[in-house]
Each structure stands twice: as C-alpha cells, then as structure tokens.
Amino acid sequence: MKTDTLRARLLEAQLDLARRRERAVILLLTGHAVTHKGRLVNELNHWLDNRHTEVHALGPSSEERERPYWWRFWRRLPDRGRIGIFIHGWYGDALFARAERRLPPGAFRDRLGEIRAFEAELAAEGVVVLKLWMDIDRPAQRRHLQALQEDPARAWQLSATDWQRHLQHAAIAALGREMRDATAADHAPWRRLDFRDPAAQLQRVGALLHETLAAPPVAPSCVPEGVPGEVAAAPSICRAEPRVEASLKKASYAARLAEAQGRLAINAREVARRRIPVVLAFEGLDAAGKGGGIHRVTAALDARQYRIHRIAAPSDEELALPWAWRFWRRLPADGRIAIFDRSWYGRVLVERVEGLAPEADWRRAYAEIREFERQLLAHGTVLGKLFLAISQEEQLRRFEARAATPHKRHKLTDEDWRNRKRWDDYRQAIDEMFARTQAPGAEWALIACDDKRRARLAVLEEVNRRLEMRLASPH
C-alpha cells in the first residue's frame, strides 16, 4: 500500500474509533536500544490526529514510587475512543531490571504473570493492546551507535545507557524471547520489527496499527475466577451472623470511644511518620451505619492525612475506562489514608444482584479484586476490609425511623426499599464475596451493628488492630 493511502486509511480508522468510543487501543514499543522508537512515535504522531492520541515514555516519579507499582500505568490508560502509545511501558522495567540483575529470575517470572493478568483485564474491558518488539543485531547496533556518536548534530541523542544496553545485547535478546513467549496472547499479540530505514519502519508500524484498528476486538481466552490457593477462614453473614450483645450505656460508651480514638490518633501519626499507606474499605447492608463508623474513625485523624471516597454509580469519565481504574486512581500516597465508603466490591454485590454487570464480568471480578489487593499488600499497604452487618428486623426499624424524622428522611430512598426485598440474594452474594476474596493480609472483619455504639467501637478496634499489627512488624 502506498504511504499516502495508508496514512489516509489509518487516520480514517482512528477517527472512526474516536467517533464510536467502543474501545481503546494501546500501542507499546519496546526492545533493543537505538532502534528508532522515539523517531517512529514522532512520525506516527504526524500521521494521526493528536487530539485522540497520548504518548507516554515513563521514568518513575516520586509520586509514582509512593504508590503500588501498577498505579503508574492504570492512571495513564486511554479512554475509549483514544490511542495510548507507550515507549517500553510495563515491559521495559522488567526487561532491563532483569538484564542488570536487579530483578531475580523468580521475580521476573512473577512480573510476567502480573503482565498477563493486567493485559487480560484490559482486553475484557475493551482495551486492545498491540506490542512491538524493536529488533536489531549486535553488529548493526554498534555501527548505528558509532554513527550517532560521530555526528555532531545527533550525538546528543546518545547516553551512557545506550552503550550499556549494547553490552547487554545478548541478555536482552534472550530475555526478550522469554518475555514475549510468556505474554503473547490473541488479545495482546507481539509483532517483531527489524531495524531498517525509518521510512520503511513507519510504513510497517502504520500498517500494523491500521490492522488493529480495523479488526474486531479479541476477548481474553482464559480469565481466572477461582478461589486463590491460600485462603484465610472466611466469615459468613448467613451461617455466622455476629452475636448482638446488650446495648452499651452512654457513659461507658463515651469513655471507651475516647480511649479508642486516642489510640487511633497515636497510631495514625506513627503510620504517617513511617510512611505506611492505609486503605480502609467499608461495605455493609443499608442502614448498618457505615457513615457513623467512618465518622468516628475520621474524628481521630488529622484531616490532611486522609481522604474519603464515596463510591456511587460511575461517572461518564469512569465508564470510558476499565472498571478498576476508578479505584486505582484513588489509592493513597505512602503515609496517607484512603477510606472507601463502598468500594470495588460493588461489582460482586449491587452490580451482581441488580443485574448492572453481566455475569461474566462480576465472576471475573473476584480474580481481579484478589490481584488488586495482592498488589496493595506487596507495596506495604495496610488493608482493612470491614463489613457492617445488621439484622433484617433492625434494618426495618431504622428505615421507619428515618422516614419519620425530617432531617434524616433524605437518607432513605426507593432503592433502599427495593434492595430490602432482595435480602436473600444479597446474603448469598455477600457469602460468596467473603469466600472468594478472603486472603492473608486481606481478611474481612464482620461487624455486628444492631447496637450502634458497640458497632462504632468495633470499627475503631478493628482499624487500630490492623495498624498496630503493622507497626509491631519489623518490616
């Protein structure tokens, strides 16, 4: 195909992608040094409408180092209708760290497993990934490096790292093969691009991108959904609903509340000093008291240290990106606290029960949630998951009290009454959620909430327990 014809067709396909907004496309280039990656991307940008394209050549910033590794990529995913171009992307870190022996063989294989899971999740959410391996043999690479070095107009393009990559050519070639073999998939294919004249390379990249834009998306062939191998004992709201004790007297409650909040204030200051991130996820039945529990937690904290995220129906921006993006983007920096009033568990609770997500999506979500939480823990995050349980009788009493109280009436909605009619469906979904997402370090705490005072103290006790366990750890 002639260059002008290809360029016109590629632009037409890109504008059709932007118009339909049915999927996003990622083009990722990695491989050997001095293979025209930067030049290719610059020229390709001239071919495309840059209003619908974004380019990322990443070096980790201090902001990114303060969050789990994959945060830097989740936050840069393109919206539906857009093309994201990544130079090296999530492959460069693993490849070069392994070549330099900063990443042991086992950790390298683990990272490739994370990549497979990440790309399968993107494919399931309508993101198409095209990966290019930029190849060059060692003699040609040396000739090109020397030519650049001897040209005063282009010598600035070289760095010590380029020569280092040349010395590592054999290792990078072998690791690249291992990496491509481990991560090749129909939904995220690899294409090998030989070093050649830049115009011929651009023609080839343009043709591959046009082919990707024109082809129907490919769903991941296998997305795990089973229970993880190592599962902690899971609570059950059905068979082990927490025992409700006698109502706590006001004076006793006030004293115990002050003590618990005092402990929390001290623990939170130490968490900030040691730069430990904290994520607290609050789930529960309607009228169980999530708001009250969260308020008693935040009353003990410095307002500069925490942020509350109230998760409701997704916005238009969130709908244009993969489902998990809305949670990744809200993760706290090291030393900060993120409190989720409802969370990523909405997909396997309300979205499941109310039919807001297809069955394939909410079933897939269990594995995605486990991987998300595993990455939080790997970064050193303290993860607290609290489920606030309430009896059916107490819920009805609180609904009726809200309806009769003018300043509380706004808290009661038609949706609350509708959810109550599906009580058994929610209990089944909650039990399955506990069983499939219970793991060491990410255990659920089941809080009995028929007595509000005891429930609020139990919330504070659980948060303190989590923080104190981490602060007592030598790591």
Side-chain angles (χ1 to χ4, degrees), residues 236-278:
S236 168
I237 194 171
C238 294
R239 65 178 181 270
E241 201 160 282
R243 181 169 58 89
V244 179
E245 301 181 40
S247 180
L248 192 63
K249 299 298 183 182
K250 189 173 182 178
S252 176
Y253 166 69
R256 291 174 60 181
L257 178 67
E259 187 275 333
Q261 288 179 326
R263 277 172 59 204
L264 180 54
I266 294 170
N267 289 333
R269 284 199 298 272
E270 184 63 12
V271 158
R273 187 187 71 81
R274 290 169 55 173
R275 302 193 63 75
I276 299 170
V278 179

Side-chain angles (χ1 to χ4, degrees), residues 59-72:
S61 65
S62 59
E63 182 184 28
E64 290 164 347
R65 291 190 182 95
E66 290 185 335
R67 289 174 173 84
Y69 173 77
W70 286 95
W71 181 81
R72 67 194 65 175

